[in-house]
Amino acid sequence: FPSHDSWQQMHTIMTNSGQRQLAVIFHSNQEGRSFAQTCQHQTNRCNVEYVMLTEQSLERNQWLIPQVQAHEMAHLFGAADLYNIAAAKDYATTDLMNYYSAQLKYADIAPITAWAIGWAPKPEAPFHLEE
């Protein structure tokens, strides 16, 4: 993880720019599944959300890196993994949160993900959407 000085620099940048939020992506040369750590389901006080990309796992599939970066970053803004929702598999088949394409340009941001990240109004869906 970044040193205390690195966190202090990020805090200074945010303070000087007037921003209240900062997205951070860590690239790790380790084997394992990339993930996003969000505050959404945590019960204790949560101040830091981040994405961990495990580069060693992606080395074999370099084409995945942009897709995984975009997918994991979308979690920081509220998007859920649609592949975990049975009814979403056929509902948003090429959505960034449901589909790994050969190139990022073949994935899309379906209305459900656009809503989840604050870009669009709540869509109709074949399952319950929690606000």
Side-chain angles (χ1 to χ4, degrees):
F1 282 90
S3 68
H4 177 72
D5 290 341
S6 296
W7 285 116
Q8 197 62 37
Q9 287 175 330
M10 287 186 266
H11 179 72
T12 300
I13 290 168
M14 289 175 57
T15 301
N16 291 342
S17 67
Q19 299 299 313
R20 295 182 52 215
Q21 295 179 327
L22 174 69
V24 178
I25 301 176
F26 295 107
H27 290 260
S28 170
N29 188 20
Q30 295 186 351
E31 188 70 33
R33 186 175 175 148
S34 296
F35 65 92
Q37 177 65 45
T38 66
C39 295
Q40 184 176 8
H41 299 292
Q42 294 187 28
T43 55
N44 58 345
R45 187 170 174 219
C46 180
N47 294 323
V48 178
E49 296 181 309
Y50 61 90
V51 168
M52 176 65 75
L53 294 175
T54 52
E55 296 294 336
Q56 197 173 53
S57 300
L58 297 174
E59 281 177 0
R60 295 181 296 277
N61 302 303
Q62 286 291 317
W63 60 271
L64 270 175
I65 292 175
Q67 179 91 19
V68 172
Q69 285 175 331
H71 173 97
E72 298 301 341
M73 283 295 294
H75 282 304
L76 297 182
F77 295 93
D81 287 322
L82 296 177
Y83 55 79
N84 287 333
I85 304 169
K89 290 178 184 173
D90 294 326
Y91 169 71
T93 56
T94 58
D95 185 271
L96 175 69
M97 302 308 291
N98 196 26
Y99 168 75
Y100 285 120
S101 59
Q103 294 182 23
L104 181 58
K105 69 182 179 181
Y106 298 128
D108 62 22
I109 296 177
I112 189 169
T113 296
W115 165 72
I117 63 176
W119 287 1
K122 184 177 178 180
E124 293 293 323
F127 47 87
H128 175 71
L129 296 177
E130 294 180 12
E131 301 221 25

